[in-house]
Amino acid sequence: MSGAVSDLLAARALFGTSLVFHIVFAAVGVAMPLFMVLAEWRWRRTGDPVHLDVARRWAKGVAILFAVGAVSGTVISFELGLLWPRFMAFAGPIIGMPFSLEGFAFFAEAIFLGIYLYGWDRTGPRLHLAAGAMVALSGAVSAFFVTLANAWMNVPAGFSVDAAGAATGVAPAVAMFPPGWAHEVVHVLLSSYAATGFAVAGIHAFLLLRHGDHAFHRAALRIALGVGALAALLQPLSGDFSARQIARTQPVKLAALEGQFETERGAPLRVGGLPDAAAEQTRFALEIPRGLSLLAFHDPGAEVKGLKAFPRDVWPNTRLVHLAFQVMVGLGSLLALVALAWVVQRVRGREPGPRLLRAIVLASPMGFLALEAGWLVTEWGRQPFTIWGTMRTADAVTPVTNLAAPLVAFTLLYVFLGVMVIVLVRRQIAHVPVDAAAAPHVPPEAAP
């Protein structure tokens, strides 16, 4: 039994490591093309060569990150079939449609990215800008279809299960849009724009602190943080909708998120704290009276079911889920505060000073840390099920043993790829000539 458990943990760890690595490139693939297009659009409107330089350098960065993301995404596709064959056998006929459509979106993104990269002096300005817009749209559509599949795993719909455990009465269109799909899609897209926007802005804010007022980094900061700040400010609203959806469809997950063991009306909202499943209580938390009932049901007196209302064998790991949720909310709140400070400065017509630039640098990794924590909340919170209420993770895993070896091998591979990406992207961004701001003002029609 212990061997089966260790192989299950190794399979989960291998797949989780692959997703932790890939999700960064997936988020960048959604957001960076939009930044790239906005930079070119600014150049074509103003003729400012700085924005042309930003667009060209970001386009090269997009190509690098897209290539690595394609590799890690392909690995995940193979792992779905190799590590979770029973899941794919059951779920394939039900949610095969969004997976297939995601493949079409990926190929469209690759085609238009090729046109964009090699079409600067081979296509007209409108066609070139449209190709970039299609790259940005295809990246978002790809994330849309993948998120639909994940939403179905959290709230399965569009099928019935017969006495033998097989899926019957499959309705692919219903399965493709399960309850709560819109909330999850919006939350994922906003998190991608916020995480990438702050990460890119942090790089340029750091270089502004080092090199003084540099036109290239100033222009790049405005575009990246313009998108990232808007997404960060909208994210709490999206999170509120998602939390209310979880309260209706996955009440045991909500209880784990908040460390709520007892069923009670006017349940408190916990900030911090450490759930103890053995003692069935959450210690050291700051409790806001009636806060959870108010946020989850918009009623301060609403009843919230606690973990003790559900069989213990369907409890997720309460401590891990709660802590990951606290990290996600805490970092997201800090991002929103920095975003608000930047917006206030822009409304006043001021550029961010050294103090705000330092805050942006400190906030730069927070978006991706919050994104990873949010993904862990979603996946850990669904355990012990792969398909909520339908298929347990232990029943979906491959019977193949000795999975620790590929776990170590792929982890080392991801570390190597991560280092190479950092080196290549650094060459595109960090070594901008200091006199770039003094470049001649070239009209778009005259530039290559």
Side-chain angles (χ1 to χ4, degrees), residues 363-376:
S364 61
M366 291 182 185
F368 277 111
L369 292 174
L371 179 62
E372 298 284 9
W375 173 78
L376 291 175

Side-chain angles (χ1 to χ4, degrees), residues 114-436:
I115 294 172
Y116 189 86
L117 291 173
Y118 297 103
W120 282 101
D121 53 356
R122 295 177 176 86
T123 63
R126 290 184 180 180
L127 179 59
H128 190 262
L129 194 61
M134 288 302 299
V135 176
L137 178 62
S138 300
V141 170
S142 181
F144 169 78
F145 286 123
V146 170
T147 306
L148 288 182
N150 186 264
W152 177 85
M153 293 167 68
N154 289 315
V155 188
F159 69 100
S160 301
V161 180
D162 63 18
T168 61
V170 174
V174 176
M176 189 170 171
F177 299 101
W181 67 268
H183 301 150
E184 189 165 338
V185 166
V186 170
H187 200 64
V188 166
L189 290 176
L190 286 176
S191 64
S192 297
Y193 293 122
T196 308
F198 269 90
V200 174
I203 294 171
H204 294 287
F206 174 77
L207 293 170
L208 279 170
L209 288 169
R210 284 189 61 184
H211 300 304
D213 194 18
H214 193 294
F216 176 91
H217 298 304
R218 185 72 68 184
L221 176 68
R222 286 176 187 165
I223 295 171
L225 202 54
V227 176
L230 178 61
L233 292 172
L234 292 175
Q235 192 75 313
L237 297 176
S238 168
D240 177 63
F241 285 115
S242 296
R244 284 191 281 139
Q245 176 67 27
I246 291 172
R248 291 193 298 270
T249 59
Q250 295 176 285
V252 65
K253 185 175 182 178
L254 177 70
L257 293 177
E258 293 292 342
Q260 181 74 28
F261 287 92
E262 301 290 340
T263 299
E264 61 180 310
R265 293 187 175 277
L269 180 70
R270 292 176 178 83
V271 180
L274 197 63
D276 185 340
E280 297 182 342
Q281 60 179 310
T282 298
R283 299 187 175 94
F284 317 118
L286 172 64
E287 296 188 353
I288 302 174
R290 300 178 177 270
L292 179 56
S293 293
L294 180 63
L295 288 177
F297 299 99
H298 285 191
D299 178 1
E303 180 182 86
V304 177
K305 288 186 177 181
L307 286 163
K308 292 165 69 174
F310 305 93
R312 200 172 183 103
D313 66 347
V314 301
W315 288 17
N317 188 315
T318 307
R319 180 169 293 185
L320 290 179
V321 173
H322 178 74
L323 292 177
F325 180 69
Q326 295 292 311
V327 169
M328 179 190 72
V329 173
L331 293 178
S333 299
L334 289 174
L335 284 181
L337 287 175
V338 176
L340 183 61
W342 183 79
V343 169
V344 169
Q345 289 287 80
R346 295 299 297 156
V347 169
R348 292 177 176 176
R350 301 175 184 172
E351 296 291 347
R355 216 178 261 183
L356 183 53
L357 288 175
R358 292 189 189 98
I360 294 168
V361 172
L362 291 174
S364 61
M366 291 182 185
F368 277 111
L369 292 174
L371 179 62
E372 298 284 9
W375 173 78
L376 291 175
V377 167
T378 298
E379 301 307 302
W380 284 343
R382 193 176 59 245
Q383 297 304 314
F385 294 100
T386 294
I387 306 171
W388 176 254
T390 302
M391 176 179 286
R392 288 179 176 264
T393 306
D395 298 327
V397 72
T398 177
V400 175
T401 59
N402 300 318
L403 296 174
L407 170 60
V408 173
F410 275 97
T411 300
L412 292 175
L413 173 63
Y414 293 139
V415 170
F416 171 75
L417 287 175
V419 171
M420 292 303 298
V421 167
I422 291 171
V423 171
L424 292 173
V425 172
R426 185 173 180 273
R427 289 180 179 178
Q428 296 300 323
I429 301 300
H431 301 295
V432 180
V434 177
D435 59 350

